[in-house]
Amino acid sequence: QRQLVESGGGLVQPGGSLRLSCAASGFILDYYAIGWFRQAPGKEREGVSCIRRSGDSTNYADSVTGRFTISRDNAKNTVYLQMNRLKPEDTGIYYCAKKYSCATVAIVGNWGKGTPVTVSS
């Protein structure tokens, strides 16, 4: 079954760090750009970051620039999101998704279950 599985979320205090993982099964991850998205309670899902197939180009939402780092290990079929200096407004369900390009909005396939991140003291 072709799917992406998110993991690594949890409860963390403001200023703390988490590393999320997005593991692919049933397909070769490096055929796609991969985007991270999040949905805060009561809000629409928004894009957080994206990494190109080769990993040589990344982009970030203004709200996370300088705090989050996206990376990929194609040998492990996994994309990561390192999140530092977390803020309460980073709370939400985090999802990863395949994309044909980081320049496009659309994702390929369906959303996964996501991994919850809660930033609270």
Side-chain angles (χ1 to χ4, degrees):
Q1 183 178 2
R2 300 180 178 184
Q3 61 179 350
L4 290 169
V5 178
E6 305 93 341
S7 63
L11 173 63
V12 63
Q13 292 186 345
S17 298
L18 284 172
R19 189 177 80 156
L20 306 184
S21 297
C22 170
S25 64
F27 67 96
I28 305 300
L29 191 69
D30 62 4
Y31 288 170
Y32 300 95
I34 299 294
W36 278 101
F37 303 78
R38 67 186 181 189
Q39 187 167 19
K43 295 187 177 181
E44 293 188 354
R45 186 153 30 204
E46 61 176 353
V48 173
S49 183
C50 188
I51 186 166
R52 289 179 59 180
R53 290 174 54 185
S54 61
D56 62 348
S57 178
T58 59
N59 60 44
Y60 300 91
D62 289 343
S63 59
V64 306
T65 297
R67 300 188 297 121
F68 290 11
T69 303
I70 190 171
S71 62
R72 66 192 299 158
D73 186 338
N74 288 337
K76 294 183 178 179
N77 236 18
T78 302
V79 170
Y80 304 98
L81 186 68
Q82 177 68 43
M83 306 188 298
N84 299 328
R85 291 183 281 137
L86 283 161
K87 304 176 180 180
E89 51 264 43
D90 294 318
T91 294
I93 307 296
Y94 282 70
Y95 304 86
C96 61
K98 297 178 292 185
K99 301 180 72 174
Y100 288 129
S101 168
C102 286
T104 61
V105 174
I107 69 166
V108 178
N110 300 316
W111 295 104
K113 295 182 179 180
T115 185
V117 171
T118 303
V119 184
S120 175
S121 55

Coordinates of all heavy atoms in Angstrom, one line a residue, residues 32-95:
Y32 N 9.2 12.3 -5.8 CA 8.3 13.4 -5.4 C 9.0 14.5 -4.6 O 9.9 14.3 -3.8 CB 7.1 12.9 -4.6 CG 6.3 11.9 -5.4 CD1 6.5 10.6 -5.2 CD2 5.3 12.3 -6.2 CE1 5.7 9.6 -5.8 CE2 4.5 11.4 -6.9 CZ 4.7 10.0 -6.7 OH 4.0 9.1 -7.3
A33 N 8.5 15.7 -4.8 CA 8.7 16.8 -3.8 C 7.8 16.4 -2.6 O 6.8 15.8 -2.7 CB 8.3 18.1 -4.3
I34 N 8.2 16.8 -1.4 CA 7.4 16.5 -0.2 C 7.1 17.8 0.6 O 8.0 18.6 0.8 CB 8.1 15.5 0.7 CG1 8.4 14.2 0.0 CG2 7.3 15.3 2.0 CD1 7.1 13.4 -0.3
G35 N 5.9 18.0 0.9 CA 5.5 19.1 1.7 C 5.0 18.8 3.1 O 4.5 17.7 3.3
W36 N 5.3 19.6 4.1 CA 4.8 19.5 5.4 C 3.7 20.6 5.5 O 3.8 21.7 5.1 CB 5.8 19.7 6.5 CG 6.7 18.5 6.8 CD1 7.9 18.3 6.4 CD2 6.3 17.4 7.6 NE1 8.4 17.1 6.9 CE2 7.4 16.5 7.6 CE3 5.2 17.1 8.3 CZ2 7.4 15.3 8.4 CZ3 5.1 15.9 9.1 CH2 6.2 15.0 9.1
F37 N 2.6 20.2 6.2 CA 1.4 21.0 6.4 C 1.0 20.9 7.8 O 1.3 19.9 8.5 CB 0.3 20.6 5.5 CG 0.6 20.6 4.0 CD1 1.3 19.5 3.4 CD2 0.2 21.6 3.2 CE1 1.7 19.5 2.1 CE2 0.6 21.6 1.8 CZ 1.3 20.5 1.3
R38 N 0.2 21.8 8.3 CA -0.4 21.7 9.6 C -1.7 22.3 9.7 O -2.1 23.2 8.9 CB 0.5 22.4 10.7 CG 0.6 23.9 10.5 CD 1.6 24.5 11.5 NE 1.7 25.9 11.4 CZ 2.7 26.6 12.1 NH1 3.6 26.0 12.8 NH2 2.7 28.0 11.9
Q39 N -2.5 21.8 10.6 CA -3.9 22.3 10.8 C -4.1 22.6 12.3 O -4.1 21.6 13.1 CB -4.9 21.4 10.3 CG -6.3 21.9 10.3 CD -7.3 21.1 9.5 OE1 -7.1 20.0 9.2 NE2 -8.4 21.7 9.1
A40 N -4.2 23.8 12.7 CA -4.4 24.2 14.0 C -5.9 24.1 14.3 O -6.8 24.1 13.4 CB -4.0 25.6 14.3
P41 N -6.3 23.9 15.6 CA -7.7 23.7 15.9 C -8.5 24.9 15.4 O -8.2 26.1 15.7 CB -7.7 23.7 17.5 CG -6.3 23.2 17.8 CD -5.4 23.7 16.8
G42 N -9.6 24.6 14.7 CA -10.5 25.7 14.2 C -10.0 26.4 13.0 O -10.6 27.4 12.6
K43 N -8.9 26.0 12.5 CA -8.3 26.7 11.3 C -8.1 25.8 10.1 O -8.1 24.6 10.3 CB -6.9 27.3 11.7 CG -7.0 28.4 12.8 CD -5.7 29.1 13.0 CE -5.8 30.2 14.0 NZ -4.5 30.9 14.2
E44 N -7.9 26.4 9.0 CA -7.7 25.6 7.8 C -6.2 25.1 7.8 O -5.3 25.7 8.4 CB -7.9 26.5 6.5 CG -9.4 26.9 6.4 CD -9.6 27.5 5.0 OE1 -8.7 27.8 4.3 OE2 -10.8 27.8 4.7
R45 N -6.1 24.0 7.0 CA -4.7 23.5 6.9 C -3.8 24.5 6.1 O -4.3 25.1 5.1 CB -4.8 22.1 6.1 CG -3.5 21.4 6.0 CD -3.7 19.9 5.9 NE -4.9 19.5 5.3 CZ -5.5 18.3 5.5 NH1 -4.9 17.4 6.3 NH2 -6.6 18.0 4.9
E46 N -2.6 24.6 6.5 CA -1.7 25.5 5.8 C -0.4 24.8 5.5 O 0.1 23.9 6.2 CB -1.4 26.7 6.7 CG -0.7 26.4 8.0 CD -0.4 27.7 8.8 OE1 -0.5 28.8 8.3 OE2 0.0 27.5 10.0
G47 N 0.3 25.3 4.5 CA 1.6 24.8 4.2 C 2.7 25.3 5.1 O 2.7 26.5 5.5
V48 N 3.6 24.5 5.5 CA 4.7 24.8 6.4 C 6.0 24.9 5.7 O 6.8 25.8 5.8 CB 4.7 23.8 7.6 CG1 5.9 24.1 8.5 CG2 3.4 23.9 8.4
S49 N 6.3 23.8 4.9 CA 7.6 23.7 4.3 C 7.5 22.7 3.1 O 6.6 21.9 3.1 CB 8.6 23.3 5.3 OG 9.9 23.2 4.7
C50 N 8.4 22.8 2.2 CA 8.5 21.9 1.1 C 9.9 21.7 0.7 O 10.8 22.6 0.8 CB 7.7 22.4 -0.1 SG 7.5 21.2 -1.4
I51 N 10.2 20.5 0.2 CA 11.6 20.1 -0.2 C 11.5 19.5 -1.6 O 10.6 18.6 -1.8 CB 12.3 19.2 0.8 CG1 13.8 19.0 0.4 CG2 11.6 17.9 1.0 CD1 14.6 18.5 1.6
R52 N 12.3 19.9 -2.5 CA 12.4 19.3 -3.8 C 12.9 17.9 -3.8 O 13.4 17.4 -2.8 CB 13.2 20.2 -4.7 CG 12.6 21.5 -5.1 CD 13.6 22.3 -6.0 NE 13.9 21.6 -7.2 CZ 14.7 22.2 -8.2 NH1 15.2 23.3 -8.0 NH2 14.9 21.5 -9.3
R53 N 12.7 17.2 -4.9 CA 13.0 15.8 -5.0 C 14.5 15.6 -4.6 O 14.8 14.6 -3.9 CB 12.8 15.3 -6.4 CG 11.4 15.2 -6.8 CD 11.2 14.8 -8.3 NE 12.0 13.6 -8.6 CZ 12.2 13.2 -9.9 NH1 11.6 13.8 -10.9 NH2 12.9 12.1 -10.1
S54 N 15.4 16.4 -5.1 CA 16.8 16.2 -4.9 C 17.2 16.7 -3.6 O 18.3 16.5 -3.1 CB 17.6 16.9 -6.0 OG 17.3 18.3 -5.9
G55 N 16.4 17.5 -2.9 CA 16.7 18.1 -1.6 C 17.6 19.3 -1.7 O 18.0 19.9 -0.7
D56 N 17.8 19.8 -2.9 CA 18.7 21.0 -3.1 C 17.9 22.3 -3.0 O 18.6 23.4 -3.1 CB 19.4 20.9 -4.4 CG 18.4 21.0 -5.6 OD1 17.2 20.8 -5.4 OD2 18.9 21.1 -6.7
S57 N 16.6 22.3 -2.8 CA 15.9 23.5 -2.6 C 14.7 23.3 -1.6 O 14.1 22.2 -1.7 CB 15.3 23.9 -4.0 OG 14.6 25.1 -3.8
T58 N 14.6 24.2 -0.8 CA 13.5 24.1 0.2 C 12.8 25.5 0.4 O 13.3 26.5 0.0 CB 14.1 23.8 1.6 OG1 15.0 24.8 2.0 CG2 14.8 22.4 1.6
N59 N 11.6 25.5 0.9 CA 10.9 26.7 1.2 C 10.1 26.6 2.5 O 9.9 25.4 2.9 CB 10.0 27.2 0.0 CG 9.0 26.3 -0.3 OD1 8.3 25.7 0.5 ND2 8.7 26.1 -1.6
Y60 N 9.8 27.7 3.1 CA 9.2 27.7 4.4 C 8.1 28.8 4.5 O 8.3 29.9 3.9 CB 10.2 28.0 5.5 CG 11.3 26.9 5.6 CD1 12.5 27.1 4.9 CD2 11.2 25.8 6.4 CE1 13.5 26.1 4.9 CE2 12.1 24.8 6.4 CZ 13.3 25.0 5.7 OH 14.3 24.0 5.8
A61 N 7.1 28.6 5.3 CA 6.2 29.6 5.6 C 6.9 30.7 6.4 O 7.8 30.4 7.2 CB 5.0 29.1 6.4
D62 N 6.5 31.9 6.3 CA 7.2 33.0 7.0 C 7.1 32.8 8.5 O 8.1 33.1 9.2 CB 6.5 34.3 6.7 CG 6.7 34.8 5.3 OD1 7.7 34.3 4.7 OD2 6.0 35.7 4.9
S63 N 6.1 32.1 9.0 CA 5.9 31.9 10.4 C 6.9 31.0 11.0 O 7.1 30.9 12.3 CB 4.5 31.5 10.7 OG 4.2 30.3 10.1
V64 N 7.5 30.1 10.2 CA 8.5 29.1 10.7 C 9.9 29.3 10.2 O 10.8 28.6 10.7 CB 8.0 27.7 10.4 CG1 6.6 27.5 10.8 CG2 8.2 27.4 8.9
T65 N 10.1 30.3 9.3 CA 11.5 30.5 8.8 C 12.4 30.8 9.9 O 12.2 31.6 10.8 CB 11.4 31.7 7.8 OG1 10.6 31.3 6.7 CG2 12.8 32.0 7.3
G66 N 13.5 30.1 9.9 CA 14.6 30.3 10.9 C 14.4 29.4 12.1 O 15.3 29.4 12.9
R67 N 13.3 28.8 12.2 CA 13.1 27.9 13.3 C 12.9 26.4 12.9 O 13.3 25.5 13.6 CB 11.8 28.3 14.1 CG 11.8 29.7 14.7 CD 10.6 30.0 15.6 NE 9.4 29.9 14.8 CZ 8.4 29.1 15.1 NH1 8.5 28.2 16.2 NH2 7.2 29.1 14.4
F68 N 12.3 26.2 11.7 CA 12.1 24.8 11.2 C 13.1 24.5 10.1 O 13.5 25.4 9.3 CB 10.7 24.7 10.7 CG 9.6 24.7 11.7 CD1 9.8 25.1 13.0 CD2 8.3 24.4 11.4 CE1 8.8 25.1 14.0 CE2 7.3 24.4 12.3 CZ 7.5 24.7 13.6
T69 N 13.5 23.3 10.0 CA 14.3 22.8 8.9 C 13.8 21.5 8.3 O 13.6 20.6 9.1 CB 15.8 22.6 9.4 OG1 16.3 23.8 10.0 CG2 16.7 22.2 8.2
I70 N 13.6 21.5 7.0 CA 13.1 20.3 6.4 C 14.3 19.7 5.7 O 15.2 20.3 5.2 CB 12.0 20.6 5.3 CG1 11.4 19.4 4.8 CG2 12.6 21.5 4.2 CD1 10.2 19.7 3.9
S71 N 14.3 18.3 5.7 CA 15.4 17.6 5.1 C 14.9 16.2 4.6 O 13.8 15.8 5.0 CB 16.6 17.4 6.1 OG 16.2 16.6 7.2
R72 N 15.7 15.6 3.8 CA 15.2 14.3 3.3 C 16.4 13.3 3.2 O 17.5 13.7 3.0 CB 14.5 14.4 2.0 CG 15.3 14.8 0.8 CD 14.4 15.1 -0.4 NE 13.6 14.0 -0.8 CZ 12.5 14.0 -1.5 NH1 12.0 15.2 -1.8 NH2 11.8 12.9 -1.8
D73 N 16.1 12.1 3.5 CA 17.1 11.0 3.3 C 16.4 10.0 2.4 O 15.7 9.1 2.8 CB 17.4 10.4 4.7 CG 18.5 9.4 4.6 OD1 18.8 8.8 3.5 OD2 19.2 9.1 5.7
N74 N 16.7 10.1 1.1 CA 16.1 9.3 0.1 C 16.5 7.8 0.3 O 15.7 6.9 0.0 CB 16.4 9.8 -1.3 CG 15.7 11.0 -1.6 OD1 14.7 11.4 -1.0 ND2 16.2 11.8 -2.6
A75 N 17.7 7.6 0.9 CA 18.1 6.2 1.1 C 17.2 5.5 2.2 O 17.0 4.3 2.1 CB 19.5 6.1 1.6
K76 N 16.7 6.3 3.1 CA 15.8 5.8 4.1 C 14.3 6.1 3.8 O 13.4 5.7 4.6 CB 16.1 6.5 5.5 CG 17.4 6.1 6.0 CD 17.7 6.7 7.4 CE 19.0 6.3 7.9 NZ 19.3 6.9 9.3
N77 N 14.1 6.6 2.6 CA 12.7 6.9 2.1 C 11.9 7.7 3.1 O 10.7 7.5 3.4 CB 12.0 5.6 1.9 CG 11.4 5.5 0.5 OD1 11.8 6.2 -0.4 ND2 10.4 4.6 0.3
T78 N 12.6 8.7 3.7 CA 12.0 9.5 4.8 C 12.4 11.0 4.7 O 13.5 11.4 4.2 CB 12.6 9.0 6.2 OG1 12.2 7.6 6.3 CG2 11.9 9.8 7.3
V79 N 11.4 11.8 5.0 CA 11.6 13.3 5.1 C 11.4 13.7 6.5 O 10.5 13.1 7.2 CB 10.6 14.0 4.2 CG1 10.6 15.5 4.4 CG2 10.9 13.7 2.7
Y80 N 12.2 14.7 7.0 CA 12.1 15.1 8.3 C 11.8 16.6 8.4 O 12.0 17.4 7.5 CB 13.5 14.9 9.0 CG 14.0 13.5 9.0 CD1 14.9 13.1 8.0 CD2 13.6 12.6 9.9 CE1 15.4 11.8 7.9 CE2 14.1 11.3 9.8 CZ 15.0 10.9 8.8 OH 15.4 9.6 8.8
L81 N 11.2 17.0 9.5 CA 11.0 18.4 9.9 C 11.5 18.6 11.3 O 10.9 18.2 12.2 CB 9.5 18.7 9.7 CG 9.2 20.2 9.9 CD1 9.7 21.0 8.7 CD2 7.7 20.5 10.1
Q82 N 12.6 19.3 11.3 CA 13.2 19.7 12.6 C 12.6 21.0 13.1 O 12.7 22.0 12.3 CB 14.7 19.8 12.5 CG 15.4 20.2 13.8 CD 15.3 19.2 14.9 OE1 15.5 18.0 14.7 NE2 15.0 19.6 16.1
M83 N 11.9 21.0 14.2 CA 11.2 22.2 14.7 C 11.9 22.6 16.0 O 11.9 21.9 17.0 CB 9.8 21.8 14.9 CG 9.1 21.2 13.7 SD 7.3 21.1 13.9 CE 7.2 19.9 15.3
N84 N 12.5 23.8 16.0 CA 13.1 24.4 17.1 C 12.4 25.6 17.6 O 11.6 26.2 16.8 CB 14.6 24.7 16.8 CG 15.4 23.5 16.4 OD1 15.1 22.4 16.9 ND2 16.4 23.7 15.5
R85 N 12.7 26.1 18.8 CA 12.1 27.3 19.4 C 10.6 27.3 19.1 O 10.0 28.3 18.6 CB 12.7 28.5 18.8 CG 14.2 28.7 19.2 CD 14.8 29.9 18.7 NE 15.2 29.8 17.3 CZ 15.0 30.7 16.4 NH1 14.4 31.8 16.7 NH2 15.5 30.5 15.2
L86 N 9.9 26.2 19.5 CA 8.5 26.1 19.3 C 7.7 27.1 20.1 O 8.1 27.4 21.2 CB 8.1 24.6 19.6 CG 8.4 23.6 18.5 CD1 8.4 22.2 19.0 CD2 7.5 23.7 17.3
K87 N 6.6 27.5 19.5 CA 5.7 28.5 20.1 C 4.3 27.8 20.2 O 4.0 26.9 19.5 CB 5.6 29.7 19.2 CG 6.9 30.4 18.8 CD 6.7 31.5 17.9 CE 8.0 32.2 17.5 NZ 7.8 33.3 16.6
P88 N 3.5 28.3 21.1 CA 2.1 27.8 21.2 C 1.4 27.8 19.9 O 0.6 26.9 19.7 CB 1.5 28.7 22.3 CG 2.7 29.2 23.1 CD 3.8 29.3 22.2
E89 N 1.6 28.8 19.1 CA 0.9 28.9 17.8 C 1.4 27.9 16.8 O 0.8 27.8 15.7 CB 1.0 30.3 17.2 CG 2.5 30.8 17.1 CD 2.8 31.7 18.3 OE1 2.5 31.4 19.5 OE2 3.5 32.8 18.1
D90 N 2.4 27.1 17.1 CA 2.8 25.9 16.3 C 1.9 24.7 16.6 O 2.1 23.7 15.9 CB 4.2 25.6 16.5 CG 5.2 26.7 16.1 OD1 4.9 27.3 15.0 OD2 6.2 27.0 16.8
T91 N 1.1 24.8 17.6 CA 0.2 23.6 17.9 C -0.7 23.3 16.7 O -1.3 24.1 16.1 CB -0.6 24.0 19.1 OG1 0.3 24.1 20.3 CG2 -1.6 22.9 19.4
G92 N -0.8 22.0 16.5 CA -1.7 21.5 15.4 C -1.4 20.1 15.0 O -0.5 19.4 15.6
I93 N -2.1 19.6 14.1 CA -1.9 18.3 13.5 C -0.9 18.5 12.3 O -1.3 19.4 11.4 CB -3.1 17.6 13.0 CG1 -4.1 17.5 14.1 CG2 -2.8 16.2 12.5 CD1 -3.7 16.6 15.3
Y94 N 0.2 17.8 12.2 CA 1.1 18.0 11.1 C 1.0 16.8 10.2 O 1.0 15.7 10.6 CB 2.5 18.1 11.7 CG 2.8 19.5 12.3 CD1 2.2 19.9 13.5 CD2 3.7 20.4 11.6 CE1 2.5 21.2 14.0 CE2 4.0 21.6 12.2 CZ 3.3 22.0 13.3 OH 3.6 23.3 13.8
Y95 N 1.0 17.2 8.9 CA 0.8 16.2 7.8 C 2.0 16.4 6.8 O 2.4 17.5 6.6 CB -0.5 16.4 7.1 CG -1.7 16.4 7.9 CD1 -2.2 17.5 8.5 CD2 -2.5 15.2 8.0 CE1 -3.4 17.5 9.3 CE2 -3.6 15.2 8.8 CZ -4.1 16.3 9.4 OH -5.2 16.3 10.2

